[in-house]
Every structure is written in structure tokens, then in C-alpha cells.
Amino acid sequence: MKQHFIIDGKKTQGSKGSFDVISPRDQSILHAMPNASEADVLDAVEAAQRAFPLWRNKGGVEKQKLFLAWADLIDANRDMIAAEVSAEMGVLKDDVAGTAAYIADMIRYYAGFIVTNYGDVLSFEDDHMNVVVNEPLGVIAAMPPWNSPIESTIQKCAPALAAGNTVVLRVPEEAPSGGLILAQLAVEAGFPAGVLNALAGMGPESGEALVGHPKVRLVSFTGSAPTGRIIARTCAEQMKPVVMELGGKSPVIIFDDARIADAIESSVSSAFCFQGQICCATTRVLVHESILDEVVKGIAERVERYALDNEEFPIGPLFNDKVFHTVEKFVAQGKKDGTLVAGGGVIERDGGGRYHQPTVFLFKDDSSVVCKEEIFGPVLAIIPFSSDEEAITIANNVDYGLAATVYSENRQRIFKTIRQLESGTVWANCNFKFNMHMPWGGPKSTGIGREFGKYAMKPYLQEKNIWIGN
Ligand code: NAD
């Protein structure tokens, strides 16, 4: 077996056989992966629980050194990580190598928070002192998704560990190697046994066992809203807090005074990046009716440039059959409800894999399910509007609120629109910008809490109020 779990600092194989990891490129079997049973999950939680007192009390500088050593090992193993993860995700090796460098920096960034979890002195009087200290929660369950297996792993684990918690990482079964390698590198960097444990298994089995374990004090999950709801319900029974990074249906609003070429380019490139299998893919383009024809034509021309094996405008594989069938279903619905502007078909290709043309529909309004639900594939909906108010109403008329983009040359209009958008992130006259310092997440079914930056630290700490008399 190529990969293994990390439980209590040791490599283990899991006790429920194995499952195959499938290549999105050609659907061949890449390798077998050990499958976690409920007993493996219990072992991992117990190990994390045992390690917690030691880790929380370890000196800040000592912990920082471990973080920095971990980051250095990730840098040193970037090629190996990129090879494993790119094969499982069906993306370019160079892209994963870039992400590996980014997560190494993210670990360095969170190392800074280890020694800055300051509390407050609320009063200091003759007969007492009143202070608040920030304390870790205990064992954290971290559950990243297949579409960002290494970035999301570090997004969760680095702040949770920096706050003094221990972690059980359940890697996504569809792209499991990245998270397991990162956990192995943490052990090699010198993290004490049990501080970061990692296993792979099926969601409804190992996932549910982990989420429902009473010693798990917080669940940080990234995935779809329906699965997020199942997990949140289990956690509610135990009054267990959650961090949820769920879906999106992100709009781009193109006002009549926008720089149209910029708006078209950014709408298309962010809608079809990684075949739209990105939570913040801008899958709805809202266009003022006076410029509709120009924008539709521009989007169609730009989308036609995508092709298999085109380095600049590539079409890659859809991740798996589930994604493929969802895309097919929504494309069929789009053909009924709207006008096909570009794409619309499956790409037949020798050598297996599921490939689909980037597809664009024009709708009269946003009533189609294609304009409402997250598809998580290469499908873009263009929707016209006639006033600023209508644009904002349509933008907010979905169950998600991860990111939104506005294009206009009128600053007042931009400010007014930004304030009214129900969205965790708003980009104005730019798009698809990310920074590990900035909060990430959003309202409605997009989830609960924020990741990245200092904002990610908050859920992993709890205040203790202390009165000291004389
Ligand atoms: P999914 O919800 O189908 O599965 C996610 C994970 O949940 C899988 O690993 C699965 O094993 C596990 N799971 C399934 N049932 C479970 C259960 N009962 N208990 C515990 N775990 C269970 O999502 P997906 O299709 O793998 O991922 C795509 C989704 O992730 C999209 O909706 C996307 O928007 C979202 N996402 C969001 C962000 C963000 O930052 N907001 C980032 C990446 C992906």
C-alpha cells in the first residue's frame, strides 16, 4: 500500500480493507488507499485526546519551531506532493507545486499566532484581579474537500494547532494522499505523537464516527451544503461548534458603465477555472440590458477558445461520475429553460475520463434552477437586469453568499452595491483575488465562520474568565 494513516505518531494501515483512488484524467485506478473503520477513528481521537495536555502546555517558541520545520519539509517535498496530488485531482503538477509553496507559507503565517493568543486584563483593583485567557478547545475534527485537499487541510489544521488544539484530519476519500503526506511530514518535523492524526475513509462511516465522537470539540468541514447540514445536525445534539465552508453561486454584476472587456475576461476565466469545480466560481453573470448583446457575444467568443490540450485555455477532466452527471443534468435543464450561447456538449476523447465543453446559457430571468443551484461544473448563466436594484436583488436571490464581483466605473454605485450584497467577499473591478490574511466564508448556506487570517483563529479558542482575590 502506497499511503498510510498517521495515528499517535505512527504509520498504520486502517482496519477496514482498502478502496481504490481513481484518476480523473482517464478513470484508471491510481492506487489503493487504506479504509478507516469506526475503531480507527476512535483510536485517532483517543490519541489526539492524550496528546492535548502536552501540546497545549508546550512553549510557544517550541511550537513555532515545529511549525517552521514542517513548512520547510513541505517546501523540500513540493515535487513529491505535486506528483501525488495532481494525479488524484486531474490538475497540472505545476499548479499543485504552487499550492504546496503557498501552504508552507500559510504554516509560517500561523506560527506567528502561536505566541500572540493574548487575553485581556479586565480590572486590577485592591482586592482582586480579573483576567480573560484564550484557551484551546481540545480535539478538532478537520475535514477538507477533494477540490482543495492540501490547501484546505492547512487552512484548518494550522490555526487549530496554533491555538493549542490537537487534530484528527479526515482526508477526502477521492483525493486522499495530500493530507496524509502533510500529516506524515508533521511527524517528521517533530510534532509530538497524537498532535496531528490523519486517516481516510468513507464519509458516512468514518466521517460520521468522527463528527459524532463526544471527545471531538469542534468540526471544521468544507464540502457541500447538504452534507454540511447533516454534520451540523449531529453537532447540534452535542452543542458542538462547527466551522462550515460550503457552496457558492457567485455572481458577477456588469453595469452599463463597466470596462466590458475586463469584465468578460474575468467572468469567463473564473467561471471555468478547474472546470468550474471551485466553490467561488463565478457561475452567474448579471448584465445590464443595454450591453447584453455585446457581453453575450464577447463571452461566447472567449469561451470558444477553450480546448483540450490548449495550454492557455485548457479543458481538463471533470473530477468524477458524480460531477459529470450533475453537469449533464443541469445542461439538459438549461437547454429547456434558456438559450445556449456556447458549448453544451460532452467531449468524446480516446483514453477515458469525463470531459465537458465549457457551457454558457442566456436566460430571460433567474427563475431557472440553473441560475439558483450550485452545479460545481463548467456551466455559466447570463441573466439580464434593467436597474441597479434589480441587479442586487438577483445577486442575492440564491441560497449562497460566498463571493460576488461588481464591474462599474462609478464609485458611488460600487460602494452602494457592495454594501447590499449578501456575500462574504466582494471584488470590485477585479476578480478571484485571494490572500491568506483575508477572511474566507460567507452567509446563508455558504456556511458558518471564516477561514484564513486572524479570523480563522477565533473558533479554535475559547475565553476563560478568571477572578483572582487576595
Ligand atoms: P460533499 O459534501 O459531497 O462531500 C464532502 C466530504 O464529506 C466527503 O469527503 C465525504 O466523504 C464527506 N461526507 C459525506 N457524508 C458525510 C457524513 N454523513 N458525515 C461526515 N462526512 C461526510 O462535497 P464535495 O462534492 O466533495 O465537495 C464539493 C463541495 O465543497 C461544493 O459544494 C463546494 O462549493 C464546497 N467547497 C467549498 C469551499 C469553501 O471554501 N466554501 C471550498 C471548497 C469546496
Side-chain angles (χ1 to χ4, degrees):
M1 193 89 58
K2 198 170 169 190
Q3 293 296 356
H4 45 75
F5 301 164
I6 297 292
I7 297 181
D8 208 13
K10 295 188 256 322
K11 297 178 181 176
T12 69
Q13 280 301 331
S15 56
K16 207 173 178 191
S18 65
F19 59 90
D20 292 333
V21 181
I22 307 294
S23 162
R25 290 197 180 100
D26 57 12
Q27 292 168 311
S28 61
I29 295 172
L30 288 170
H31 47 83
M33 182 60 58
N35 188 19
S37 67
E38 207 171 310
D40 298 323
V41 173
L42 300 188
D43 284 351
V45 176
E46 290 298 332
Q49 180 69 24
R50 279 194 304 277
F52 177 57
L54 178 124
W55 182 247
R56 70 173 284 179
N57 294 328
K58 199 172 184 63
V61 174
E62 288 306 307
K63 282 187 198 147
Q64 279 186 322
K65 285 181 188 162
L66 293 173
F67 266 54
L68 299 180
W70 188 21
D72 289 346
L73 275 180
I74 291 172
D75 270 336
N77 286 282
R78 224 185 285 164
D79 280 353
M80 180 267 286
I81 295 169
E84 296 292 334
V85 176
S86 69
E88 290 182 355
M89 287 180 74
V91 297
L92 294 177
K93 213 175 138 194
D94 283 354
D95 290 351
V96 183
T99 307
Y102 183 69
I103 61 170
D105 281 345
M106 204 187 297
I107 290 171
R108 295 182 182 106
Y109 172 79
Y110 280 106
F113 286 92
I114 293 173
V115 288
T116 57
N117 288 328
Y118 305 127
D120 301 298
V121 177
L122 296 187
S123 66
F124 184 23
E125 300 181 14
D126 287 350
D127 62 344
H128 76 273
M129 185 163 70
N130 188 234
V131 298
V132 175
V133 293
N134 292 318
E135 296 194 328
L137 278 62
V139 180
I140 305 297
M143 303 172 71
W146 57 261
N147 75 327
S148 60
I150 56 171
E151 187 175 356
S152 184
T153 290
I154 299 304
Q155 259 166 261
K156 296 175 188 311
C157 294
L161 294 168
N165 303 282
T166 53
V167 174
V168 177
L169 167 68
R170 199 201 74 97
V171 300
E173 65 267 35
E174 307 91 340
S177 292
L180 297 177
I181 293 168
L182 296 176
Q184 169 65 28
L185 293 177
V187 171
E188 286 173 25
F191 275 68
V195 171
L196 175 56
N197 308 274
L199 45 77
M202 299 302 122
E205 295 161 14
S206 61
E208 271 185 27
L210 181 58
V211 167
H213 195 300
K215 285 184 181 157
V216 168
R217 292 296 157 83
L218 178 147
V219 175
S220 178
F221 172 75
T222 298
S224 66
T227 309
R229 282 193 191 93
I230 294 172
I231 291 172
R233 270 197 287 273
T234 304
C235 291
E237 283 296 320
Q238 299 176 9
M239 290 296 168
K240 193 181 284 186
V242 291
V243 175
M244 293 269 161
E245 297 294 342
L246 309 175
K249 191 73 181 173
S250 300
V252 179
I253 302 176
I254 310 180
F255 287 110
D256 53 3
D257 57 1
R259 276 177 273 142
I260 292 177
D262 287 357
I264 289 172
E265 176 54 35
S266 90
S267 301
V268 172
S269 57
S270 57
F272 297 115
C273 178
F274 191 34
Q275 291 70 250
Q277 302 166 123
I278 296 184
C279 51
C280 56
T282 49
T283 49
R284 295 182 297 147
V285 179
L286 284 41
V287 186
H288 190 267
E289 59 189 7
S290 65
I291 54 168
L292 185 64
D293 292 347
E294 184 182 353
V295 172
V296 170
K297 184 166 173 280
I299 287 181
E301 285 171 2
R302 171 64 172 76
V303 170
E304 296 299 344
R305 298 167 76 178
Y306 282 106
L308 291 179
D309 306 321
N310 182 321
E311 277 185 22
E312 199 181 356
F313 303 110
I315 296 177
L318 295 181
F319 185 67
N320 57 20
D321 284 351
K322 182 180 149 199
V323 175
F324 178 75
H325 293 310
T326 305
V327 170
E328 274 201 313
K329 184 183 89 180
F330 279 99
V331 168
Q333 192 62 44
K335 287 176 180 170
K336 285 185 196 149
D337 298 347
T339 306
L340 185 66
V341 169
V346 173
I347 301 174
E348 300 298 344
R349 171 185 169 275
D350 290 341
R354 298 291 211 175
Y355 292 76
H356 199 284
Q357 292 176 317
T359 296
V360 182
F361 292 107
L362 172 63
F363 295 94
K364 287 199 174 68
D365 56 37
D366 71 337
S367 56
S368 170
V369 69
V370 178
C371 304
K372 292 276 198 289
E373 287 187 21
E374 183 182 50
I375 301 170
F376 220 59
V379 184
L380 174 70
I382 303 176
I383 308 159
F385 65 84
S386 57
S387 67
D388 293 17
E389 291 67 33
E390 193 189 6
I392 292 160
T393 301
I394 296 172
N396 289 339
N397 193 25
V398 291
D399 203 19
Y400 298 103
L402 184 57
T405 307
V406 187
Y407 276 94
S408 166
E409 291 297 279
N410 179 331
R411 203 177 298 168
Q412 264 194 338
R413 182 181 248 171
I414 293 259
F415 287 157
K416 209 173 138 196
T417 307
I418 287 173
R419 286 180 67 81
Q420 293 182 77
L421 286 170
E422 296 169 352
S423 185
T425 292
V426 181
W427 293 296
N429 291 329
C430 64
N431 198 3
F432 239 47
K433 303 269 183 208
F434 307 98
N435 189 316
M436 67 178 79
H437 299 239
M438 311 298 174
W440 186 248
K444 303 195 273 190
S445 288
T446 287
I448 298 170
R450 296 291 184 271
E451 293 194 311
F452 287 133
K454 66 176 183 178
Y455 313 94
M457 294 297 295
K458 207 171 156 209
Y460 299 117
L461 291 163
Q462 56 187 337
E463 295 84 10
K464 179 180 278 175
N465 180 203
I466 305 167
W467 294 75
I468 304 167
N470 63 21

